[in-house]
Amino acid sequence: MTDNTLRRPALSRKSSALSGKVHVPGDKSISHRALMFGGLAAGETRVTGLLEGEDVLRTGEAMKAMGAAIARDGPAWVIQGTGNGCLLEPQAPLDFGNAGTGSRLTMGLVGTYDMTTRFIGDASLSKRPMARVLDPLRQMGAQVLEAREGDRLPIILRGPKHAAPITYRVPMPSAQVKSAVLLAGLNTPGVTTVVEPVMTRDHTEKMLAGFGAAIEVETDSQGARYIRLEGQGTLTGQEIAVPGDPSSAAFPLVAALIVPGSDVTIENVLMNPSRTGLILTLQQMGADIALENRRSAGGEEVADLRVRASELKGVTVPAERAPFMIDEYPVLAVAASFAEGETLMQGLEELRVKESDRLAAVAAGLKANGVDCTEGEDFLAVRGRPEGKGLGGGEVETHLDHRIAMAFLVLGLATEKPVTIDDQTMIATSFPEFMDLMTGMGAGIETPKGVT
Ligand code: S3P
């Protein structure tokens, strides 16, 4: 992907009103976990609504390499798991491509097995810090036999003969780190405890409980969560219906808000409170987003989102909300580009270690398209122009980051001049249907002529 000849640019232009009812693909976080936990549990797991994006499929390949059987059966994915404690040593390196979640959670999963596992990934993943996961795993007895400087991929991990249960206070708000330690705890005798001072998405806790793990969560008066998992228990296969991904829904949602006259419904979107920070923020900005048909599906809240074009005004987004919308800042910055006044987003330090340095990539993309913004070490301030007058006309570097690519294609739907991105290929990691879904609503997004 670093080879320029493999890049596929894309362009978006000012569009007239977007409309329609759309379905976004399954939630990425839940899809990764469904394949992992299903691959580990005894018996059969059936998954419907799985996100068939590249990141998730690589997690499936990794589980197959460790003994799970995974196959598609009509609309469902059927998994025969190994049984907890029974993963096999993979014979070849596990290639996680662009996927932080797949690689970090799998490091946890295998980190307490007496076997050697090699992890590789693309240029983006190979730059991302893995010490945040390897440090607690080392405390549990894992050895890092090889890693690039700063605990980066490629990594060779070797688990201990007998793992030690630990109590680990997660130093940064990270569901991936929390999950890696809990998954390592599955093959560890005794109780592994994760202390989470700031709550992050809770899919691992919820889904492990559904598979029958002995896991309990207690929240103290300061809001810190104590998650205790008794290791070496039985996990049993489940039926899982994956709801639509709110982080993918964010793109058609913001597009509908900023393109005048739009009226779009996005059906069956996950409404887990640890994922709805963007909706809350946009509503505070004046967005017309109605949550219709709220219901419970497979242990999670879901709703249909009816979104109508709205006049937005700038707000301050508090740092405490960041974990509940961490993947949505690029597209929030796009919404802010059309809002009256300034939108100040605080507590963004984790954006620097995503698929790209998202804070820098967003600020650079906005500036290239004439949007007035200020990038701080851990904040972004965007001063919008409601009509999008004079905006656009720039080319955006996506840095192998799917969310940067999609966010800036949304920007171009309401700017005066078109917006070009240097590469659309990474969109397939999380939202393979993006181009068709957006153009189906009437969005003027295209692959420039001459690009294959
Ligand atoms: C995820 C956690 C978040 C998020 C990522 C998915 C998960 O990462 O950005 O897209 O599924 O646990 P961090 O844990 O690094 O914040």
Side-chain angles (χ1 to χ4, degrees), residues 175-320:
Q176 292 177 357
V177 175
K178 163 177 66 180
S179 302
V181 177
L182 290 172
L183 297 187
L186 286 174
N187 195 39
T188 301
V191 176
T192 295
T193 305
V194 174
V195 185
E196 189 177 49
V198 176
M199 184 178 178
T200 61
R201 67 189 68 193
D202 58 357
H203 307 303
T204 296
E205 301 89 297
K206 278 181 129 168
M207 289 178 71
L208 282 179
F211 275 87
I215 186 166
E216 52 171 50
V217 183
E218 210 181 302
T219 305
D220 73 11
S221 55
Q222 323 290 301
R225 297 171 79 237
Y226 291 73
I227 308 159
R228 299 186 185 89
L229 174 90
E230 170 96 52
Q232 300 184 327
T234 303
L235 300 181
T236 311
Q238 296 296 299
E239 297 255 333
I240 299 171
V242 184
D245 194 330
S247 301
S248 297
F251 300 104
L253 192 164
V254 169
L257 290 175
I258 61 174
V259 175
S262 298
D263 185 350
V264 167
T265 300
I266 311 165
E267 293 174 322
N268 194 40
V269 181
L270 174 68
M271 284 289 113
N272 178 311
S274 65
R275 302 288 299 281
T276 50
L278 175 74
I279 293 178
L280 174 64
T281 302
L282 289 169
Q283 285 173 332
Q284 290 176 346
M285 293 171 79
D288 181 352
I289 306 170
L291 307 189
E292 297 179 343
N293 198 13
R294 284 196 86 140
R295 58 208 184 269
S296 173
E300 290 283 6
E301 285 279 295
V302 297
D304 303 333
L305 308 181
R306 181 162 182 197
V307 189
R308 278 169 276 210
S310 307
E311 284 175 17
L312 301 175
K313 55 181 189 324
V315 294
T316 294
V317 190
E320 305 79 75

Side-chain angles (χ1 to χ4, degrees), residues 377-390:
E377 200 41 53
D378 63 354
F379 72 85
L380 180 67
V382 178
R383 290 162 291 274
R385 245 186 250 177
E387 311 281 295
K389 278 221 173 60

Side-chain angles (χ1 to χ4, degrees), residues 29 33 101 104 132 173-176 201 326-327 350 354:
S29 294
R33 287 160 174 84
T101 307
R104 291 192 175 127
R132 52 180 55 202
S174 170
Q176 292 177 357
R201 67 189 68 193
I326 193 66
D327 292 332
E350 279 293 305
K354 295 294 177 189

